[in-house]
Amino acid sequence: IAAYAQHGYGKDALEVFYQMQRLGMKPNEITFVNILNACNHAGMVDEGLHYFHSMNQDHGITTKMEHYNCLVDLLGRAGWLDEAELLINKMPLQPDAVIWMTLLGSCRNYGCNDLSKYAAEHAIQLDPQFAPAYVMLSNIYAAVGKWDDAVKVR
């Protein structure tokens, strides 16, 4: 599943997942990280949402930060930035700098500067030593011509 996921073969990854289940093998939390990554790399948003929710509802697996991060990345890559932000703000776990940086990467790809700034500031607040957040925030300011702010952040 992981190999198919990594190379963008989402449907093949899901087929292996179905075969596992037909053989009576029970998926675990790592299986679902790979399933979510497969959906992510193949652009299968609806399927990713389905499997994210079925983890707990159908398989009794508790969602962890890795699963939320995969889903934020899936939503963000698809351009569903508001949904990704909402997920972060409503998830039952405390967001970390990594999940905000995941959202920030998607915001940068879609030119969403206000949400980019918001995500970068959250990442910095949670991990003030995390240099990539400062670099990305500086680049956001530079992209919109706020040179004084860009220099200050760097």
Side-chain angles (χ1 to χ4, degrees):
I1 294 173
Y4 281 133
Q6 186 175 3
H7 295 286
Y9 296 103
K11 291 184 182 196
D12 293 324
L14 292 179
E15 182 56 39
V16 172
F17 179 66
Y18 300 143
Q19 288 176 7
M20 280 178 51
Q21 291 184 305
R22 281 193 295 269
L23 294 172
M25 300 172 87
K26 301 241 184 259
N28 61 24
E29 34 186 77
I30 302 302
T31 307
F32 279 99
V33 167
N34 290 313
I35 289 296
L36 293 171
N37 278 328
C39 292
N40 184 0
H41 291 198
M44 299 170 18
V45 178
D46 291 334
E47 293 87 344
L49 288 166
H50 166 76
Y51 288 108
F52 180 82
H53 294 296
S54 80
M55 270 179 57
N56 187 275
Q57 293 171 356
D58 300 333
H59 300 280
I61 296 171
T62 303
T63 48
K64 297 195 172 175
M65 188 60 74
E66 295 86 353
H67 303 109
Y68 281 100
N69 199 41
C70 289
L71 191 57
V72 166
D73 195 30
L74 172 67
L75 295 170
R77 285 182 190 226
W80 297 21
L81 302 175
D82 292 335
E83 291 83 353
E85 178 197 2
L86 184 63
L87 178 67
I88 293 170
N89 286 322
K90 295 219 176 216
M91 66 185 194
L93 304 172
Q94 180 66 35
D96 60 10
V98 172
I99 203 162
W100 285 112
M101 290 298 292
T102 301
L103 178 60
L104 177 57
S106 294
C107 290
R108 192 181 71 183
N109 292 339
Y110 285 94
C112 188
N113 291 327
D114 290 339
L115 187 54
S116 295
K117 182 179 176 224
Y118 177 78
E121 288 171 348
H122 274 79
I124 290 168
Q125 181 182 10
L126 290 167
D127 188 354
Q129 302 302 313
F130 193 58
Y134 291 98
V135 171
M136 289 182 80
L137 182 57
S138 176
N139 291 342
I140 291 163
Y141 285 135
V144 295
K146 293 184 176 182
W147 299 108
D148 291 339
D149 291 334
V151 169
K152 223 184 317 184
V153 170
R154 281 254 179 186

mmCIF file of all heavy atoms in Angstrom, residues 79-113:
data_model
loop_
_atom_site.group_PDB
_atom_site.id
_atom_site.type_symbol
_atom_site.label_atom_id
_atom_site.label_comp_id
_atom_site.label_asym_id
_atom_site.label_seq_id
_atom_site.Cartn_x
_atom_site.Cartn_y
_atom_site.Cartn_z
ATOM 1 N N GLY A 79 -6.967 22.194 -2.819
ATOM 2 C CA GLY A 79 -7.424 23.574 -2.792
ATOM 3 C C GLY A 79 -8.550 23.827 -1.810
ATOM 4 O O GLY A 79 -9.123 24.917 -1.785
ATOM 5 N N TRP A 80 -8.844 22.858 -0.983
ATOM 6 C CA TRP A 80 -9.891 22.991 0.021
ATOM 7 C C TRP A 80 -9.283 23.588 1.294
ATOM 8 O O TRP A 80 -9.281 22.977 2.357
ATOM 9 C CB TRP A 80 -10.524 21.642 0.320
ATOM 10 C CG TRP A 80 -11.240 20.987 -0.823
ATOM 11 C CD1 TRP A 80 -11.089 21.227 -2.161
ATOM 12 C CD2 TRP A 80 -12.211 19.952 -0.722
ATOM 13 N NE1 TRP A 80 -11.901 20.404 -2.898
ATOM 14 C CE2 TRP A 80 -12.608 19.612 -2.042
ATOM 15 C CE3 TRP A 80 -12.779 19.275 0.343
ATOM 16 C CZ2 TRP A 80 -13.553 18.633 -2.298
ATOM 17 C CZ3 TRP A 80 -13.715 18.293 0.082
ATOM 18 C CH2 TRP A 80 -14.105 17.981 -1.227
ATOM 19 N N LEU A 81 -8.751 24.790 1.184
ATOM 20 C CA LEU A 81 -7.989 25.403 2.270
ATOM 21 C C LEU A 81 -8.848 25.747 3.475
ATOM 22 O O LEU A 81 -8.424 25.558 4.621
ATOM 23 C CB LEU A 81 -7.254 26.636 1.750
ATOM 24 C CG LEU A 81 -6.295 26.363 0.591
ATOM 25 C CD1 LEU A 81 -5.700 27.658 0.068
ATOM 26 C CD2 LEU A 81 -5.208 25.390 0.989
ATOM 27 N N ASP A 82 -10.046 26.250 3.232
ATOM 28 C CA ASP A 82 -10.931 26.572 4.355
ATOM 29 C C ASP A 82 -11.299 25.312 5.139
ATOM 30 O O ASP A 82 -11.340 25.329 6.374
ATOM 31 C CB ASP A 82 -12.201 27.276 3.867
ATOM 32 C CG ASP A 82 -11.914 28.667 3.317
ATOM 33 O OD1 ASP A 82 -10.892 29.284 3.703
ATOM 34 O OD2 ASP A 82 -12.719 29.148 2.493
ATOM 35 N N GLU A 83 -11.546 24.232 4.420
ATOM 36 C CA GLU A 83 -11.885 22.975 5.080
ATOM 37 C C GLU A 83 -10.699 22.445 5.879
ATOM 38 O O GLU A 83 -10.863 21.905 6.978
ATOM 39 C CB GLU A 83 -12.335 21.930 4.059
ATOM 40 C CG GLU A 83 -13.672 22.215 3.415
ATOM 41 C CD GLU A 83 -13.608 23.202 2.229
ATOM 42 O OE1 GLU A 83 -12.527 23.783 1.967
ATOM 43 O OE2 GLU A 83 -14.652 23.386 1.584
ATOM 44 N N ALA A 84 -9.499 22.597 5.330
ATOM 45 C CA ALA A 84 -8.297 22.153 6.041
ATOM 46 C C ALA A 84 -8.096 22.955 7.325
ATOM 47 O O ALA A 84 -7.794 22.395 8.378
ATOM 48 C CB ALA A 84 -7.072 22.276 5.132
ATOM 49 N N GLU A 85 -8.287 24.267 7.233
ATOM 50 C CA GLU A 85 -8.162 25.106 8.432
ATOM 51 C C GLU A 85 -9.220 24.739 9.466
ATOM 52 O O GLU A 85 -8.931 24.634 10.660
ATOM 53 C CB GLU A 85 -8.288 26.587 8.064
ATOM 54 C CG GLU A 85 -8.202 27.493 9.289
ATOM 55 C CD GLU A 85 -8.719 28.887 9.049
ATOM 56 O OE1 GLU A 85 -9.200 29.199 7.943
ATOM 57 O OE2 GLU A 85 -8.669 29.679 10.007
ATOM 58 N N LEU A 86 -10.432 24.545 9.014
ATOM 59 C CA LEU A 86 -11.517 24.165 9.922
ATOM 60 C C LEU A 86 -11.197 22.846 10.622
ATOM 61 O O LEU A 86 -11.417 22.704 11.830
ATOM 62 C CB LEU A 86 -12.833 24.064 9.150
ATOM 63 C CG LEU A 86 -14.077 23.768 9.975
ATOM 64 C CD1 LEU A 86 -14.358 24.895 10.958
ATOM 65 C CD2 LEU A 86 -15.282 23.579 9.051
ATOM 66 N N LEU A 87 -10.678 21.892 9.871
ATOM 67 C CA LEU A 87 -10.301 20.605 10.458
ATOM 68 C C LEU A 87 -9.266 20.796 11.566
ATOM 69 O O LEU A 87 -9.398 20.234 12.652
ATOM 70 C CB LEU A 87 -9.743 19.668 9.377
ATOM 71 C CG LEU A 87 -9.259 18.310 9.870
ATOM 72 C CD1 LEU A 87 -10.424 17.461 10.369
ATOM 73 C CD2 LEU A 87 -8.513 17.587 8.765
ATOM 74 N N ILE A 88 -8.250 21.607 11.301
ATOM 75 C CA ILE A 88 -7.216 21.855 12.313
ATOM 76 C C ILE A 88 -7.828 22.478 13.564
ATOM 77 O O ILE A 88 -7.526 22.071 14.688
ATOM 78 C CB ILE A 88 -6.102 22.768 11.756
ATOM 79 C CG1 ILE A 88 -5.324 22.058 10.651
ATOM 80 C CG2 ILE A 88 -5.156 23.213 12.875
ATOM 81 C CD1 ILE A 88 -4.370 22.963 9.891
ATOM 82 N N ASN A 89 -8.687 23.458 13.369
ATOM 83 C CA ASN A 89 -9.260 24.174 14.510
ATOM 84 C C ASN A 89 -10.281 23.360 15.289
ATOM 85 O O ASN A 89 -10.538 23.642 16.451
ATOM 86 C CB ASN A 89 -9.876 25.493 14.045
ATOM 87 C CG ASN A 89 -8.823 26.517 13.705
ATOM 88 O OD1 ASN A 89 -7.792 26.615 14.370
ATOM 89 N ND2 ASN A 89 -9.047 27.270 12.650
ATOM 90 N N LYS A 90 -10.862 22.341 14.644
ATOM 91 C CA LYS A 90 -11.903 21.548 15.316
ATOM 92 C C LYS A 90 -11.439 20.160 15.749
ATOM 93 O O LYS A 90 -12.184 19.459 16.433
ATOM 94 C CB LYS A 90 -13.119 21.419 14.405
ATOM 95 C CG LYS A 90 -13.789 22.746 14.133
ATOM 96 C CD LYS A 90 -15.260 22.604 14.113
ATOM 97 C CE LYS A 90 -15.861 23.987 13.942
ATOM 98 N NZ LYS A 90 -17.057 24.152 14.659
ATOM 99 N N MET A 91 -10.239 19.750 15.352
ATOM 100 C CA MET A 91 -9.822 18.395 15.697
ATOM 101 C C MET A 91 -9.645 18.269 17.211
ATOM 102 O O MET A 91 -9.338 19.255 17.890
ATOM 103 C CB MET A 91 -8.551 18.014 14.939
ATOM 104 C CG MET A 91 -7.326 18.776 15.287
ATOM 105 S SD MET A 91 -5.973 18.267 14.191
ATOM 106 C CE MET A 91 -4.613 18.987 15.069
ATOM 107 N N PRO A 92 -9.857 17.073 17.751
ATOM 108 C CA PRO A 92 -9.795 16.889 19.202
ATOM 109 C C PRO A 92 -8.370 16.894 19.767
ATOM 110 O O PRO A 92 -8.203 16.884 20.981
ATOM 111 C CB PRO A 92 -10.458 15.523 19.412
ATOM 112 C CG PRO A 92 -10.255 14.805 18.121
ATOM 113 C CD PRO A 92 -10.277 15.857 17.058
ATOM 114 N N LEU A 93 -7.377 16.923 18.906
ATOM 115 C CA LEU A 93 -5.981 16.961 19.347
ATOM 116 C C LEU A 93 -5.464 18.391 19.267
ATOM 117 O O LEU A 93 -5.946 19.195 18.472
ATOM 118 C CB LEU A 93 -5.130 16.058 18.449
ATOM 119 C CG LEU A 93 -5.568 14.606 18.333
ATOM 120 C CD1 LEU A 93 -4.755 13.890 17.271
ATOM 121 C CD2 LEU A 93 -5.457 13.901 19.666
ATOM 122 N N GLN A 94 -4.457 18.674 20.077
ATOM 123 C CA GLN A 94 -3.826 19.991 20.031
ATOM 124 C C GLN A 94 -2.984 20.082 18.759
ATOM 125 O O GLN A 94 -2.089 19.262 18.550
ATOM 126 C CB GLN A 94 -2.937 20.183 21.272
ATOM 127 C CG GLN A 94 -2.236 21.514 21.339
ATOM 128 C CD GLN A 94 -3.196 22.675 21.513
ATOM 129 O OE1 GLN A 94 -4.215 22.558 22.181
ATOM 130 N NE2 GLN A 94 -2.892 23.791 20.894
ATOM 131 N N PRO A 95 -3.262 21.061 17.881
ATOM 132 C CA PRO A 95 -2.445 21.189 16.663
ATOM 133 C C PRO A 95 -0.984 21.431 17.002
ATOM 134 O O PRO A 95 -0.665 22.058 18.007
ATOM 135 C CB PRO A 95 -3.040 22.415 15.957
ATOM 136 C CG PRO A 95 -4.378 22.618 16.575
ATOM 137 C CD PRO A 95 -4.300 22.080 17.973
ATOM 138 N N ASP A 96 -0.100 20.923 16.145
ATOM 139 C CA ASP A 96 1.330 21.157 16.316
ATOM 140 C C ASP A 96 1.843 21.995 15.152
ATOM 141 O O ASP A 96 1.107 22.304 14.214
ATOM 142 C CB ASP A 96 2.102 19.842 16.455
ATOM 143 C CG ASP A 96 1.972 18.926 15.256
ATOM 144 O OD1 ASP A 96 1.434 19.344 14.209
ATOM 145 O OD2 ASP A 96 2.420 17.767 15.354
ATOM 146 N N ALA A 97 3.108 22.363 15.222
ATOM 147 C CA ALA A 97 3.697 23.205 14.177
ATOM 148 C C ALA A 97 3.684 22.500 12.824
ATOM 149 O O ALA A 97 3.503 23.146 11.787
ATOM 150 C CB ALA A 97 5.125 23.598 14.565
ATOM 151 N N VAL A 98 3.840 21.201 12.811
ATOM 152 C CA VAL A 98 3.894 20.451 11.553
ATOM 153 C C VAL A 98 2.576 20.558 10.788
ATOM 154 O O VAL A 98 2.563 20.773 9.575
ATOM 155 C CB VAL A 98 4.272 18.972 11.809
ATOM 156 C CG1 VAL A 98 4.144 18.148 10.539
ATOM 157 C CG2 VAL A 98 5.679 18.875 12.367
ATOM 158 N N ILE A 99 1.467 20.445 11.486
ATOM 159 C CA ILE A 99 0.183 20.498 10.790
ATOM 160 C C ILE A 99 -0.077 21.896 10.232
ATOM 161 O O ILE A 99 -0.611 22.056 9.138
ATOM 162 C CB ILE A 99 -0.975 19.981 11.677
ATOM 163 C CG1 ILE A 99 -2.135 19.517 10.794
ATOM 164 C CG2 ILE A 99 -1.418 21.011 12.702
ATOM 165 C CD1 ILE A 99 -3.125 18.618 11.494
ATOM 166 N N TRP A 100 0.365 22.924 10.966
ATOM 167 C CA TRP A 100 0.222 24.287 10.440
ATOM 168 C C TRP A 100 1.130 24.510 9.241
ATOM 169 O O TRP A 100 0.766 25.198 8.287
ATOM 170 C CB TRP A 100 0.493 25.318 11.537
ATOM 171 C CG TRP A 100 -0.639 25.421 12.517
ATOM 172 C CD1 TRP A 100 -0.624 25.038 13.828
ATOM 173 C CD2 TRP A 100 -1.948 25.939 12.271
ATOM 174 N NE1 TRP A 100 -1.853 25.277 14.404
ATOM 175 C CE2 TRP A 100 -2.679 25.838 13.470
ATOM 176 C CE3 TRP A 100 -2.582 26.474 11.153
ATOM 177 C CZ2 TRP A 100 -4.009 26.252 13.582
ATOM 178 C CZ3 TRP A 100 -3.896 26.893 11.262
ATOM 179 C CH2 TRP A 100 -4.597 26.779 12.464
ATOM 180 N N MET A 101 2.315 23.906 9.260
ATOM 181 C CA MET A 101 3.229 24.020 8.117
ATOM 182 C C MET A 101 2.674 23.273 6.902
ATOM 183 O O MET A 101 2.879 23.692 5.765
ATOM 184 C CB MET A 101 4.620 23.500 8.474
ATOM 185 C CG MET A 101 5.378 24.393 9.446
ATOM 186 S SD MET A 101 5.684 26.047 8.802
ATOM 187 C CE MET A 101 6.840 25.674 7.491
ATOM 188 N N THR A 102 1.969 22.191 7.143
ATOM 189 C CA THR A 102 1.324 21.473 6.044
ATOM 190 C C THR A 102 0.295 22.373 5.373
ATOM 191 O O THR A 102 0.266 22.481 4.141
ATOM 192 C CB THR A 102 0.663 20.181 6.574
ATOM 193 O OG1 THR A 102 1.672 19.354 7.172
ATOM 194 C CG2 THR A 102 -0.036 19.423 5.466
ATOM 195 N N LEU A 103 -0.515 23.025 6.186
ATOM 196 C CA LEU A 103 -1.493 23.966 5.632
ATOM 197 C C LEU A 103 -0.786 25.128 4.941
ATOM 198 O O LEU A 103 -1.185 25.549 3.848
ATOM 199 C CB LEU A 103 -2.419 24.488 6.730
ATOM 200 C CG LEU A 103 -3.455 25.525 6.296
ATOM 201 C CD1 LEU A 103 -4.387 24.952 5.228
ATOM 202 C CD2 LEU A 103 -4.242 26.022 7.493
ATOM 203 N N LEU A 104 0.278 25.614 5.531
ATOM 204 C CA LEU A 104 1.028 26.732 4.953
ATOM 205 C C LEU A 104 1.554 26.388 3.565
ATOM 206 O O LEU A 104 1.480 27.202 2.644
ATOM 207 C CB LEU A 104 2.182 27.118 5.884
ATOM 208 C CG LEU A 104 3.121 28.215 5.425
ATOM 209 C CD1 LEU A 104 2.367 29.501 5.119
ATOM 210 C CD2 LEU A 104 4.171 28.466 6.492
ATOM 211 N N GLY A 105 2.063 25.192 3.397
ATOM 212 C CA GLY A 105 2.561 24.770 2.088
ATOM 213 C C GLY A 105 1.472 24.806 1.029
ATOM 214 O O GLY A 105 1.693 25.265 -0.094
ATOM 215 N N SER A 106 0.281 24.364 1.393
ATOM 216 C CA SER A 106 -0.831 24.399 0.446
ATOM 217 C C SER A 106 -1.266 25.825 0.162
ATOM 218 O O SER A 106 -1.570 26.167 -0.979
ATOM 219 C CB SER A 106 -2.020 23.600 0.996
ATOM 220 O OG SER A 106 -1.688 22.230 1.069
ATOM 221 N N CYS A 107 -1.285 26.659 1.189
ATOM 222 C CA CYS A 107 -1.662 28.069 1.001
ATOM 223 C C CYS A 107 -0.710 28.749 0.033
ATOM 224 O O CYS A 107 -1.130 29.522 -0.831
ATOM 225 C CB CYS A 107 -1.633 28.810 2.328
ATOM 226 S SG CYS A 107 -2.930 28.346 3.467
ATOM 227 N N ARG A 108 0.557 28.452 0.178
ATOM 228 C CA ARG A 108 1.557 29.056 -0.708
ATOM 229 C C ARG A 108 1.310 28.627 -2.153
ATOM 230 O O ARG A 108 1.406 29.424 -3.077
ATOM 231 C CB ARG A 108 2.957 28.661 -0.258
ATOM 232 C CG ARG A 108 4.037 29.480 -0.936
ATOM 233 C CD ARG A 108 5.385 29.061 -0.493
ATOM 234 N NE ARG A 108 5.623 27.737 -1.089
ATOM 235 C CZ ARG A 108 6.683 27.022 -0.873
ATOM 236 N NH1 ARG A 108 7.611 27.433 -0.076
ATOM 237 N NH2 ARG A 108 6.824 25.855 -1.458
ATOM 238 N N ASN A 109 0.965 27.365 -2.342
ATOM 239 C CA ASN A 109 0.699 26.869 -3.693
ATOM 240 C C ASN A 109 -0.496 27.547 -4.345
ATOM 241 O O ASN A 109 -0.558 27.663 -5.562
ATOM 242 C CB ASN A 109 0.478 25.355 -3.676
ATOM 243 C CG ASN A 109 1.736 24.596 -3.343
ATOM 244 O OD1 ASN A 109 2.846 25.095 -3.485
ATOM 245 N ND2 ASN A 109 1.567 23.366 -2.868
ATOM 246 N N TYR A 110 -1.453 27.969 -3.523
ATOM 247 C CA TYR A 110 -2.665 28.583 -4.049
ATOM 248 C C TYR A 110 -2.679 30.108 -3.891
ATOM 249 O O TYR A 110 -3.674 30.746 -4.214
ATOM 250 C CB TYR A 110 -3.913 27.974 -3.394
ATOM 251 C CG TYR A 110 -4.220 26.604 -3.933
ATOM 252 C CD1 TYR A 110 -3.763 25.454 -3.296
ATOM 253 C CD2 TYR A 110 -4.944 26.448 -5.113
ATOM 254 C CE1 TYR A 110 -4.029 24.189 -3.802
ATOM 255 C CE2 TYR A 110 -5.218 25.196 -5.619
ATOM 256 C CZ TYR A 110 -4.753 24.072 -4.964
ATOM 257 O OH TYR A 110 -5.014 22.829 -5.472
ATOM 258 N N GLY A 111 -1.581 30.682 -3.385
ATOM 259 C CA GLY A 111 -1.487 32.138 -3.265
ATOM 260 C C GLY A 111 -2.434 32.735 -2.245
ATOM 261 O O GLY A 111 -2.878 33.865 -2.392
ATOM 262 N N CYS A 112 -2.732 31.993 -1.214
ATOM 263 C CA CYS A 112 -3.662 32.456 -0.177
ATOM 264 C C CYS A 112 -2.854 33.105 0.948
ATOM 265 O O CYS A 112 -2.528 32.464 1.942
ATOM 266 C CB CYS A 112 -4.475 31.274 0.329
ATOM 267 S SG CYS A 112 -5.799 31.745 1.434
ATOM 268 N N ASN A 113 -2.530 34.376 0.783
ATOM 269 C CA ASN A 113 -1.588 35.037 1.683
ATOM 270 C C ASN A 113 -2.110 35.252 3.099
ATOM 271 O O ASN A 113 -1.359 35.116 4.057
ATOM 272 C CB ASN A 113 -1.127 36.362 1.076
ATOM 273 C CG ASN A 113 -0.261 36.135 -0.141
ATOM 274 O OD1 ASN A 113 0.467 35.158 -0.218
ATOM 275 N ND2 ASN A 113 -0.357 37.025 -1.105
#
